[in-house]
């Protein structure tokens, strides 16, 4: 009777574990520490992640996991895991895999080595998940950031409290401030006292309403004042909530003269 009760508890525990593994957004695994990363166990998520059934990956029946890793990333994966084993610490790696349909995915893997009583590596256990969308989004952000930094117009981004969050290279060149000197300051820091106060007050509400264009007088670090043509726009998050204000300005003093 006691044995049956123990078996019943073990069955329920395995069932719960199986249900948990099947719902994970990725693939749990146990593999050998060899150059093929020979899989001894993979969860059901391997099909969505790689395009291969678990039976095709286990013991390299159809393909080894090492063959899925992008050729340019294989060395980094091996070195990272090897170093973590030396230090006996968990490892985290980001790399590319090639799926069954010849597609390419970015994945994030976290795992650790399991050791026997003598300190020898018995196997590796861990989890691998698809981060392709996140990686592509990061690349787009990097491209946009470089674009903002490189344009010839002065770009300034402020938070909803009118504190400066970002300035590009052109802004630093024209105004004479390094990013460290200007970020965190209120936008009024660069405004001339000669501006019409009523017009300056309209910038924030007009930007919230959809953007505004105006001519202002600003001042450089050395105190010199100059006229600019300013265009503002509202930055929102994915839910449409305002999170920042963007302004693009061009010096027009020479044109005015």
């Amino acid at each position: 009777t006691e044995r049956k009760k123990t078996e019943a508890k073990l069955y329920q525990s395995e069932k719960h574990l199986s249900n948990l593994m099947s719902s994970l957004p990725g693939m749990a695994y146990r593999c050998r520490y060899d150059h093929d990363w020979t899989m001894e166990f993979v969860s059901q998520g391997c099909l969505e992640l790689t395009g291969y059934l678990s039976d095709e990956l286990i013991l390299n029946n159809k393909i080894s996991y090492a063959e899925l890793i992008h050729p340019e990333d294989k060395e980094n994966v091996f070195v990272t895991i090897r170093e973590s084993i030396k230090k006996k610490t968990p490892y985290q790696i980001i790399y590319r895999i090639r799926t069954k349909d010849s597609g390419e995915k970015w994945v994030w893997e976290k795992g650790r080595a399991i050791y026997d009583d003598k300190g020898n590596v018995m196997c590796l256990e861990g989890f691998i998940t698809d981060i392709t969308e996140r990686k592509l989004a990061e690349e787009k952000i990097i491209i946009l950031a470089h674009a903002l930094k490189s344009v010839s117009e002065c770009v300034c981004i402020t938070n909803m409290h009118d504190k400066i969050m970002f300035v590009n290279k052109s802004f630093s060149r024209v105004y004479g401030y390094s990013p460290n000197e200007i970020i965190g300051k209120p936008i009024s820091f660069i405004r001339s006292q000669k501006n019409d106060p009523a017009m300056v007050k309209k910038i924030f509400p007009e930007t919230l309403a959809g953007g505004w264009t105006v001519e202002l007088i600003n001042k450089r670090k050395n105190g010199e004042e100059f006229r600019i043509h300013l265009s503002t726009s509202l930055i929102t998050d994915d839910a449409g909530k305002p999170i920042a204000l963007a302004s693009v300005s061009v010096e027009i003093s020479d044109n005015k003269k």
Side-chain angles (χ1 to χ4, degrees):
T1 301
E2 288 302 319
R3 194 188 77 185
K4 282 293 184 182
K5 288 181 180 179
T6 302
E7 288 176 352
K9 289 181 181 179
L10 182 60
Y11 172 77
Q12 286 299 323
S13 177
E14 290 177 344
K15 186 177 180 180
H16 290 157
L17 182 60
S18 177
N19 290 337
L20 173 63
M21 293 236 180
S22 65
S23 64
L24 288 173
M27 181 180 83
Y29 70 87
R30 180 176 63 249
C31 74
R32 297 172 185 170
Y33 181 41
D34 58 23
H35 282 280
D36 288 327
W37 306 119
T38 302
M39 293 295 173
E40 297 179 347
F41 164 82
V42 291
S43 63
Q44 295 178 17
C46 71
L47 179 61
E48 184 175 351
L49 181 70
T50 69
Y52 291 94
L53 296 169
S54 57
D55 290 343
E56 294 177 306
L57 283 178
I58 290 175
L59 299 178
N60 309 327
N61 282 332
K62 185 169 184 178
I63 191 170
S64 69
Y65 187 77
E67 293 177 85
L68 301 184
I69 300 174
H70 195 286
E72 295 176 4
D73 298 336
K74 283 185 178 182
E75 182 66 19
N76 179 54
V77 172
F78 181 78
V79 170
T80 301
I81 295 177
R82 182 186 64 191
E83 292 303 311
S84 74
I85 289 175
K86 285 182 180 179
K87 299 175 183 177
K88 294 193 174 182
T89 57
Y91 53 84
Q92 292 188 52
I93 331 169
I94 292 176
Y95 58 93
R96 292 163 291 177
I97 63 169
R98 289 176 171 173
T99 59
K100 189 175 184 178
D101 61 1
S102 299
E104 185 175 290
K105 290 182 178 180
W106 281 96
V107 299
W108 173 83
E109 178 179 347
K110 183 174 184 179
R112 61 173 187 153
I114 306 299
Y115 305 89
D116 62 18
D117 295 337
K118 295 181 180 180
N120 299 314
V121 177
M122 297 170 57
C123 63
L124 306 177
E125 292 183 347
F127 179 72
I128 305 169
T129 190
D130 182 3
I131 61 164
T132 304
E133 289 188 10
R134 192 191 83 184
K135 195 70 177 176
L136 293 177
E138 288 175 353
E139 290 176 357
K140 288 180 181 178
I141 290 171
I142 291 171
I143 292 171
L144 289 173
H146 282 297
L148 284 175
K149 290 177 181 178
S150 302
V151 294
S152 58
E153 293 82 4
C154 296
V155 178
C156 177
I157 297 176
T158 58
N159 62 20
M160 299 306 293
H161 302 289
D162 264 350
K163 295 288 182 66
I164 297 172
M165 300 170 61
F166 168 85
V167 294
N168 68 347
K169 292 179 181 178
S170 294
F171 186 100
S172 293
R173 175 179 53 78
V174 169
Y175 286 84
Y177 292 101
S178 69
N180 290 336
E181 292 176 309
I182 198 72
I183 288 175
K185 301 285 187 182
I187 193 66
S188 58
F189 189 71
I190 59 170
R191 299 272 189 254
S192 168
Q193 296 297 318
K194 296 178 182 178
N195 289 303
D196 180 1
M199 181 180 64
V200 172
K201 285 183 179 180
K202 291 177 67 177
I203 296 176
F204 186 79
E206 290 291 343
T207 303
L208 290 180
W212 204 37
T213 300
V214 66
E215 288 186 10
L216 290 175
I217 300 173
N218 278 357
K219 57 182 179 180
R220 310 185 207 275
K221 183 179 179 179
N222 62 9
E224 178 187 353
E225 297 186 343
F226 62 104
R227 189 172 293 275
I228 65 164
H229 182 274
L230 177 70
S231 297
T232 67
S233 59
L234 183 64
I235 301 173
T236 62
D237 61 17
D238 292 338
K241 179 182 176 182
I243 56 173
L245 309 176
S247 64
V248 179
S249 61
V250 179
E251 185 176 355
I252 57 173
S253 296
D254 292 339
N255 292 336
K256 285 293 181 181
K257 290 177 183 177

